[in-house]
Amino acid sequence: MPGSQPYQVTSCFDESTQNSLKSTLIEVRGVSKSFRIQQASFCVFEGLNLAIEEGSFVSIVGPSGCGKSTLLKVIAGLQRPTSGSVFFKGEPVTKPPANMIYLFQQYPKSVFPWRTVWQNVLFGIEDKKDLDRGEIQERGRKYLALVGLQGNETLYPSQLSGGMQQRLAIARALACEPEVVLMDEPFSAVDALTRMKLQQLLLEIWDRVNITVIFVTHDVEEAALLSRRVIALTRTPAIIDKDLRIDLPYPRNHLTTREDPRFGSYRRELLQSIFQAESM
Amino acid sequence: MREKWPGITLISILLAGWEVLVRSGMIDTPSLPPVSLIFIAWYQAVISGELIGHLLPSLQRIAIGYSLAIAVAVPLGLLMGSIKLVYSLFEPLTELIRPIPSAAYVPMAILFFGIGNEMKVFVIFLACIWPILLNTYGAVRGIDPVLVETGRTFGYSHAKVLRKVVFPSILPEIFTGMRVSLGIALIVVVVAEMIAGNNGIGYFILDRQRFFRVAAMIAGIFTLGIVGYALNWVFLRFEGYVLRWRQTSGS
């Protein structure tokens, strides 16, 4: 592996207006991924470099099929890169790290249908040796309340709406109090109104809980609304086309943030990137 | 209960028709006594404790052989489904042994275990393994990768994901295999008891036939119908309880 001085304090883009330099939590270094389809080798992305700081909210956008989700799975340790490495807190990722949770797009398959809401939310923490019974229960209550699912503990996922199932998946991830949450188009399968409510919820959670979020979406407005930084990928073999800092004030919400003229220009710039990639 | 009445009515008509045909002499053979005599023989066999005395050993053999089959087939199926080497090791053997009708093992099992309980338990065990094993490893191999990856992303090891995610998610398929095996267990215990031994419901039926106690023989066959029905009923209750999460959609 070329260059093994992974854990360093860097500023991946200009952070001068922020209060201080934050340390790099995740570093993607020279990561390539290709699949073999019959005899041919198909390259998804090649030589990607990316540094993500602690506490940030980074979205990855790009044309469909550009390998956004694959990149996220590689970061999560669910797939191995063909070459290059991902470093999490300076350690190379070889298997899914415990304090990095991946949230799937297909939440109806991801929440466990044989577990009640309460049993689902405890999934990641019920065997933790460093937590006693009371603490585990306390966490369950806290994060169910955070996503507004308190009072539904005894229901099974099949009795919940799509939006509630996704909130349950979020609560289950947060109950582990992870450092990083990786979200793969988490709101793409719910109706428009539910999606707006979930986006608002995510903004509030990120504001209240100290976590780093990497968010994959094809929706540039969603990316601009939620993120502090948006990375636009090109078509395959994907490289980074744009690395945008979203300088919109907090607290953000659907009404005021979308009316900000800067929101419009971010949206325009990101859409241009995607349209250009798709027309190539 | 209401939807059962037509079926119960049909059974009553068939039994009444049987009684009439035999009593009127339209069917005249010592091989088919009237239903009323069968019920009397049945009643006597129950009162004397004779029938229970033969039924209990059969049920006990089923319980042991069937439980052993579950205890072996489920873990082996989980391993075959999740570890490629274990699969390629056992799959050809499974395919070879599985099509052999279980009754064919009885003569060999007698050589090894004699004609007692061990032989019958062994034959039931061998016959019950396959449906459970096939359903288990088939379900593990076909599991949605999202479920497994969800377990993995919480930092759980492969072994823990197998226990906490894979096993509960394929329980419905395991139960399907178990239900098939329960039916097979009843068939096999009767066959084994008819071939060798001196007790059990299979022995009871064959013995009554040898001594031409036809009414008692048919009473034994009726008993098997009721036992099979009751076993299935208990099984469905248990399955419904364990898999209660499946019946709760759309509240």
Side-chain angles (χ1 to χ4, degrees):
Chain A
M1 212 55 59
S4 46
Q5 74 290 27
Y7 202 29
Q8 59 200 26
V9 178
T10 53
S11 173
C12 60
F13 58 99
D14 184 26
E15 275 276 354
S16 54
T17 55
Q18 288 294 316
N19 39 13
S20 66
L21 294 182
K22 285 190 168 176
S23 58
T24 301
L25 191 63
I26 296 166
E27 200 187 350
V28 174
R29 199 185 291 167
V31 164
S32 306
K33 179 79 185 176
S34 40
F35 292 107
R36 292 200 72 82
I37 300 167
Q38 279 139 16
Q39 296 304 311
S41 172
F42 172 73
C43 179
V44 190
F45 41 79
E46 199 163 1
L48 282 186
N49 289 299
L50 198 60
I52 289 164
E53 307 118 61
E54 200 180 330
S56 58
F57 194 127
V58 180
S59 283
I60 302 171
V61 299
S64 44
C66 75
K68 310 184 283 283
S69 301
T70 310
L71 175 60
L72 202 64
K73 284 200 173 171
V74 168
I75 293 173
L78 291 168
Q79 285 189 15
R80 300 298 302 268
T82 312
S83 65
S85 318
V86 174
F87 296 90
F88 176 50
K89 297 204 285 184
E91 297 288 321
V93 173
T94 52
K95 62 181 177 97
N99 35 11
M100 190 195 275
I101 306 281
Y102 186 100
L103 268 168
F104 286 86
Q105 178 184 3
Q106 308 98 315
Y107 53 85
K109 292 194 235 160
S110 161
V111 291
F112 301 123
W114 61 89
R115 283 174 172 250
T116 61
V117 167
W118 180 246
Q119 291 166 335
N120 259 291
V121 82
L122 297 186
F123 176 77
I125 50 172
E126 61 197 2
D127 299 338
K128 278 224 160 82
K129 300 277 190 297
D130 51 332
L131 294 176
D132 65 40
R133 256 184 97 77
E135 288 170 317
I136 290 170
Q137 307 247 324
E138 185 49 43
R139 285 241 199 133
R141 272 192 294 275
K142 178 179 164 189
Y143 289 100
L144 274 187
L146 188 69
V147 301
L149 277 178
Q150 69 277 31
N152 297 296
E153 287 82 357
T154 57
L155 296 183
Y156 284 100
S158 58
Q159 295 168 293
L160 304 178
S161 68
M164 289 164 92
Q165 288 181 24
Q166 189 59 303
R167 280 189 275 153
L168 176 57
I170 293 171
R172 184 182 59 184
L174 293 177
C176 300
E177 305 198 331
E179 289 171 77
V180 185
V181 177
L182 307 171
M183 303 177 102
D184 182 12
E185 302 195 26
F187 309 143
S188 59
V190 292
D191 64 87
L193 193 63
T194 307
R195 187 179 313 137
M196 283 198 237
K197 286 184 190 162
L198 288 169
Q199 288 164 345
Q200 192 64 47
L201 177 69
L202 187 57
L203 278 171
E204 283 159 22
I205 288 171
W206 186 68
D207 186 42
R208 288 163 65 176
V209 182
N210 181 31
I211 48 168
T212 306
V213 179
I214 307 179
F215 193 97
V216 161
T217 179
H218 57 259
D219 180 348
V220 297
E221 293 190 26
E222 181 173 63
L225 176 73
L226 298 176
S227 326
R228 278 187 36 192
R229 178 184 175 197
V230 181
I231 290 154
L233 297 180
T234 64
R235 216 178 54 162
T236 51
I239 54 162
I240 294 173
D241 181 44
K242 282 206 160 61
D243 192 339
L244 270 190
R245 168 136 175 210
I246 307 294
D247 226 342
L248 294 167
Y250 289 91
R252 295 181 186 175
N253 63 57
H254 278 277
L255 298 176
T256 59
T257 306
R258 280 172 185 275
E259 281 169 358
D260 194 308
R262 284 170 293 179
F263 182 84
S265 58
Y266 290 134
R267 175 183 173 274
R268 184 188 166 85
E269 193 168 349
L270 291 168
L271 269 181
Q272 271 175 344
S273 163
I274 289 183
F275 287 155
Q276 194 189 347
E278 296 224 310
S279 64
M280 276 198 299
Chain B
M1 192 61 207
R2 179 165 295 179
E3 69 269 23
K4 297 220 166 180
W5 282 115
I8 291 171
T9 310
L10 179 65
I11 292 169
S12 312
I13 290 172
L14 287 174
L15 289 176
W18 177 349
E19 181 77 15
V20 169
L21 286 175
V22 175
R23 289 272 179 204
S24 66
M26 288 169 81
I27 295 174
D28 186 16
T29 158
S31 305
L32 195 69
V35 177
S36 50
L37 288 185
I38 294 169
F39 277 100
I40 290 168
W42 204 358
Y43 177 75
Q44 285 167 343
V46 171
I47 288 301
S48 65
E50 196 182 11
L51 194 58
I52 300 295
H54 283 289
L55 196 55
L56 283 180
S58 302
L59 290 176
Q60 194 191 10
R61 286 160 191 154
I62 290 176
I64 299 171
Y66 182 63
S67 308
L68 284 175
I70 295 169
V72 170
V74 172
L76 184 59
L78 286 170
L79 288 178
M80 281 178 74
S82 44
I83 303 171
K84 277 205 176 76
L85 179 67
V86 182
Y87 179 78
S88 27
L89 200 63
F90 283 98
E91 198 267 347
L93 191 68
T94 307
E95 288 304 313
L96 205 66
I97 300 177
R98 190 172 63 89
I100 303 172
S102 340
Y105 299 126
V106 178
M108 201 178 85
I110 291 174
L111 293 181
F112 278 93
F113 298 103
I115 58 166
N117 266 331
E118 293 87 347
M119 178 273 281
K120 285 146 202 163
V121 167
F122 173 75
V123 177
I124 294 167
F125 163 74
L126 208 56
C128 289
I129 276 185
W130 312 113
I132 305 172
L133 186 66
L134 249 71
N135 270 278
T136 306
Y137 75 65
V140 177
R141 286 169 68 85
I143 196 170
D144 195 318
V146 169
L147 282 173
V148 178
E149 291 190 336
T150 299
R152 296 277 295 147
T153 187
F154 282 90
Y156 288 126
S157 64
H158 285 290
K160 216 154 190 194
V161 170
L162 195 64
R163 185 170 65 76
K164 287 175 82 91
V165 179
V166 176
F167 175 67
S169 84
I170 64 155
L171 260 182
E173 285 88 350
I174 294 179
F175 268 97
T176 305
M178 281 166 57
R179 195 155 83 224
V180 173
S181 286
L182 187 61
I184 291 175
L186 194 60
I187 297 172
V188 169
V189 76
V190 169
V191 170
E193 286 166 351
M194 283 181 172
I195 295 175
N198 53 14
N199 67 1
I201 187 72
Y203 171 84
F204 175 90
I205 292 169
L206 192 71
D207 181 72
R208 300 310 180 264
Q209 185 256 351
R210 278 181 185 146
F211 292 95
F212 221 71
R213 292 167 62 187
V214 183
M217 178 195 81
I218 296 176
I221 296 172
F222 282 6
T223 306
L224 275 177
I226 287 171
V227 168
Y229 182 86
L231 285 178
N232 199 47
W233 187 85
V234 171
F235 185 91
L236 289 178
R237 281 294 156 118
F238 178 62
E239 182 185 29
Y241 173 74
V242 174
L243 303 180
R244 58 193 177 282
W245 52 271
R246 286 205 303 182
Q247 288 142 14
T248 50
S249 56
S251 74

